[in-house]
Amino acid sequence: MAEPGIHFLDARGPDGVRLYAIGDVHGRLDLLAAMHQRIKAEIEQDRPADWRVIHLGDYVDRGPDSKGVIDFLIEAREREPRHLMLAGNHDIGFLEFLGTPDPEGLFMRYGGVQTALSYGVSLTADASWFGKAETMRRGHAALIEAAPQSHVDFLRSLPFSVTFGDFFFCHAGIRPGIPLEKQNPQDLVWIRDVFHNYSGLYPKIVVHGHTPVPEAEVMANRVNVDTLAWQSGMLSALVVDGADKRILEMAIKEA
């Protein structure tokens, strides 16, 4: 028998644990740092019994400071293990590029050039085939040299999902009809339409990013907090405190 679903309005976080789930950062260290400051101020003021800050993936690509974002997250996790980070498809794409530099892969096609620049490495070249191939070879070698092992270890350490109370957190979403514990990691970081278009209730509310929306999208069965931070200048988070749920926004227009 299928597990009964839950509606967003009825969903609750764990007793005594406030949850913050932050959407796609994409190299916007300024927004991430400002969001952390806001959360820190709230926690110091409200003094919840316990808390978790959950980052929903896509820390790199497109924005100006992917390296700085990873440095920031590593330090945050080492300082306070209640900062949790999940894997996004772009984070995996960065790892894949470091392993095999595919000129047509996700990294090169969707913002990896900016990621490399944050490490001081240029991956752009003249239009000739030889120019591109040589730049790719040299750039890949330089990026391997420039990316600290701690960054590679961090990216490899990222889990695909985490659950608290009535909420399931992942980067992209889930495949309807598959138990949460049996979801394919590929779906957890890539899925879109079949997940977005499903109107039924899930066993838990799925909190995700991956697909940009103009403002945080709260549905009966899911919450999308990817507000295209790298371009819009607005980073969004879902806050859950028992039965209370709200959206927290941090806006900085200039990168």
Side-chain angles (χ1 to χ4, degrees):
M1 181 181 295
E3 188 175 348
I6 189 165
H7 193 286
F8 177 79
L9 295 177
D10 300 319
R12 295 181 56 93
D15 290 342
V17 183
R18 180 180 293 183
L19 306 173
Y20 293 86
I22 302 174
D24 303 35
V25 176
H26 280 303
R28 286 297 299 263
L29 177 60
D30 55 343
L31 285 168
L32 179 62
M35 179 67 82
H36 270 241
Q37 279 297 113
R38 172 80 66 83
I39 291 171
K40 181 173 181 283
E42 285 196 3
I43 290 171
E44 289 177 349
Q45 174 181 304
D46 300 340
R47 299 193 176 280
D50 200 359
W51 55 270
R52 298 291 187 279
V53 178
I54 304 158
H55 304 77
L56 298 175
D58 277 8
Y59 312 117
V60 303
D61 295 352
R62 292 176 167 153
D65 198 1
S66 294
K67 177 183 182 295
V69 167
I70 295 179
D71 280 330
F72 183 92
L73 292 174
I74 289 172
E75 192 278 330
R77 191 169 70 176
E78 288 178 348
R79 182 183 74 251
E80 174 52 77
R82 287 180 286 190
H83 291 293
L84 308 176
M85 295 91 194
L86 304 180
N89 59 310
H90 282 262
D91 312 310
I92 295 168
F94 184 18
L95 275 178
E96 290 175 343
F97 181 83
L98 290 173
T100 305
D102 180 0
E104 299 302 322
L106 171 72
F107 186 78
M108 286 302 297
R109 293 175 64 197
Y110 297 105
V113 169
Q114 288 83 359
T115 297
L117 282 175
S118 74
Y119 288 91
V121 175
S122 175
L123 294 176
T124 57
D126 62 57
S128 71
W129 179 89
F130 177 80
K132 289 181 179 179
E134 180 62 13
T135 298
M136 180 70 64
R137 186 187 68 78
R138 291 184 179 181
H140 176 249
L143 189 54
I144 288 176
E145 183 71 21
Q149 185 62 40
S150 61
H151 286 207
V152 175
D153 293 342
F154 169 78
L155 293 170
R156 286 175 175 163
S157 77
L158 301 174
F160 290 96
S161 65
V162 68
T163 299
F164 287 96
D166 294 327
F167 296 85
F168 179 87
F169 302 87
C170 62
H171 176 62
I174 67 171
R175 186 164 296 276
I178 305 296
L180 295 178
E181 66 276 11
K182 294 182 179 179
Q183 291 288 324
N184 187 324
Q186 184 82 355
D187 285 334
L188 293 173
V189 297
W190 275 107
I191 202 166
R192 281 200 166 103
D193 291 353
V194 69
F195 167 62
H196 296 158
N197 296 335
Y198 183 71
S199 60
L201 298 179
Y202 294 120
K204 294 181 184 291
I205 303 302
V206 180
V207 184
H208 67 98
H210 184 55
T211 302
V213 285
E215 58 185 23
E217 185 178 50
V218 178
M219 311 290 284
N221 58 5
R222 62 181 180 87
V223 178
N224 182 357
V225 287
D226 178 7
T227 47
L228 198 66
W230 72 275
Q231 190 174 75
S232 71
M234 184 171 71
L235 183 64
S236 299
L238 173 69
V239 188
V240 178
D241 200 342
D244 296 329
K245 285 88 72 176
R246 59 189 166 91
I247 298 297
L248 184 62
E249 297 175 342
M250 177 56 61
I252 301 174
K253 289 304 178 185
E254 294 299 322

